[in-house]
Amino acid sequence: MICRILPFLILFLFSFSSYDSANKSNKPSELKWVASNATSSLESRCKSFYATLDQNHFSLPNFDVFLAAFQGYEQLKQQGQIVNDILTVIDFSLSSKEERLWVIDMNCQQILLQTLVAHGRNSGLEYATNFSNDNESFKSSLGFYLTGEMYQGKHGTSLRLDGLEYGINHNARERAVVIHGADYVSKKIATKQGYIGRSLGCPAVPYDVHQQLIQLIKNKSCLFIYHPSKHYLTNSKLLS
């Protein structure tokens, strides 16, 4: 009796093992397919958003920069971290003479503000090329931030920032990296010397827009500082 059953039992076990192996072998390709589809879907939604974005007489950020910002924003929104649906994009691949900060209303799909913004004094002169998360580095930090609370400091009304990327910008609050106004950030200075003044690491903006900017982006909105740094693009979990 056992001899009669044994061949069928072996066949059954072999078939189950083959099926299981086939399923396992398909899983990596299935995961790649899902990931590829998700990336394609996000890029498609981003392209649609970008194409219909109301420029409101301002220029558009570079699409690749906006795509990176959009990707991180979407993840943070899904995680419930964003309360104020405003996305601030800073493109530090551009000259400091250019208005390289955009404030975008993600619900109304409209650019609300575009302005000059400073980088840290040890990050570079006209262009920012070096970045750090270290105290006393006087360099800018890349990546995604949430805006915190307003306060009155030596630069007047200022806005605290919380870095969301460990090892990249998580020391922002400890370093007192904040949004504030600065008289060294102006078109007049940019024209005179070929670059605007630099901060101790803060994304400082002109005094004539800093109050408006802070009111727009306060209370847990998303701020993204971009640069095509290999170190950042490789290590950011929000862009992987």
Side-chain angles (χ1 to χ4, degrees), residues 150 152 156-157 205-216:
M150 294 168 53
Q152 294 297 318
T157 304
V205 297
Y207 268 123
D208 60 0
V209 299
H210 92 287
Q211 290 276 10
Q212 179 191 5
L213 173 64
I214 288 172
Q215 289 297 329
L216 286 171

Side-chain angles (χ1 to χ4, degrees), residues 14-35:
F14 177 77
S15 300
F16 182 80
S17 175
S18 298
Y19 174 79
D20 191 49
S21 297
N23 270 0
K24 285 180 179 177
S25 66
N26 284 334
K27 281 181 181 177
S29 59
E30 287 174 3
L31 290 173
K32 286 180 183 177
W33 182 83
V34 170

Side-chain angles (χ1 to χ4, degrees), residues 125-141:
L125 195 58
E126 179 184 348
Y127 289 88
T129 55
N130 296 292
F131 307 95
S132 176
N133 188 42
D134 296 336
N135 290 320
E136 306 301 322
S137 67
F138 301 150
K139 294 181 181 181
S140 298
S141 299

Side-chain angles (χ1 to χ4, degrees), residues 4-215:
R4 290 180 189 173
I5 295 174
L6 192 56
F8 294 101
L9 184 60
I10 291 172
L11 181 61
F12 172 77
L13 291 173
F14 177 77
S15 300
F16 182 80
S17 175
S18 298
Y19 174 79
D20 191 49
S21 297
N23 270 0
K24 285 180 179 177
S25 66
N26 284 334
K27 281 181 181 177
S29 59
E30 287 174 3
L31 290 173
K32 286 180 183 177
W33 182 83
V34 170
S36 176
N37 266 13
T39 302
S40 176
S41 173
L42 182 137
E43 186 167 345
S44 177
R45 284 187 289 112
C46 184
K47 282 180 178 177
S48 176
F49 187 102
Y50 187 82
T52 56
L53 186 58
D54 181 356
Q55 293 182 229
N56 199 18
H57 308 296
F58 299 113
S59 68
L60 287 168
N62 179 279
F63 177 73
D64 289 338
V65 176
F66 183 73
L67 175 59
F70 188 87
Q71 182 177 344
Y73 175 90
E74 289 276 287
Q75 287 194 58
L76 294 171
K77 185 68 178 174
Q78 288 174 11
Q79 293 168 14
Q81 297 202 55
I82 294 172
V83 175
N84 180 4
D85 292 322
I86 297 290
L87 173 60
T88 303
V89 180
I90 297 174
D91 183 359
F92 274 163
S93 71
L94 299 176
S95 164
S96 67
K97 294 186 294 184
E98 298 185 51
E99 294 185 327
R100 52 186 181 170
L101 180 153
W102 292 262
V103 177
I104 302 167
D105 186 322
M106 299 299 281
N107 285 331
C108 297
Q109 292 189 223
Q110 182 181 60
I111 297 177
L112 303 176
L113 182 68
Q114 183 180 3
T115 187
L116 296 169
V117 60
H119 55 253
R121 66 169 63 159
N122 288 339
S123 282
L125 195 58
E126 179 184 348
Y127 289 88
T129 55
N130 296 292
F131 307 95
S132 176
N133 188 42
D134 296 336
N135 290 320
E136 306 301 322
S137 67
F138 301 150
K139 294 181 181 181
S140 298
S141 299
L142 301 176
F144 289 89
Y145 298 76
L146 276 184
T147 59
E149 68 277 12
M150 294 168 53
Y151 71 97
Q152 294 297 318
K154 64 181 180 179
H155 299 287
T157 304
S158 304
L159 183 68
R160 299 194 193 279
L161 298 174
D162 290 301
L164 300 177
E165 302 199 69
Y166 186 81
I168 296 170
N169 62 18
H170 74 278
N171 284 329
R173 186 170 282 257
E174 184 182 340
R175 293 178 61 203
V177 173
V178 302
I179 297 278
H180 65 77
D183 53 14
Y184 53 78
V185 183
S186 73
K187 291 181 180 179
K188 185 177 179 180
I189 290 176
T191 301
K192 182 179 179 180
Q193 64 183 23
Y195 56 91
I196 60 173
R198 294 158 297 159
S199 68
L200 298 182
C202 297
V205 297
Y207 268 123
D208 60 0
V209 299
H210 92 287
Q211 290 276 10
Q212 179 191 5
L213 173 64
I214 288 172
Q215 289 297 329

Side-chain angles (χ1 to χ4, degrees), residues 215-235:
Q215 289 297 329
L216 286 171
I217 72 174
K218 66 182 181 180
N219 298 331
K220 295 189 182 301
S221 73
C222 177
L223 181 145
F224 175 58
I225 300 179
Y226 171 87
H227 186 273
S229 157
K230 283 187 179 180
H231 178 267
Y232 173 66
L233 296 177
T234 302
N235 290 283

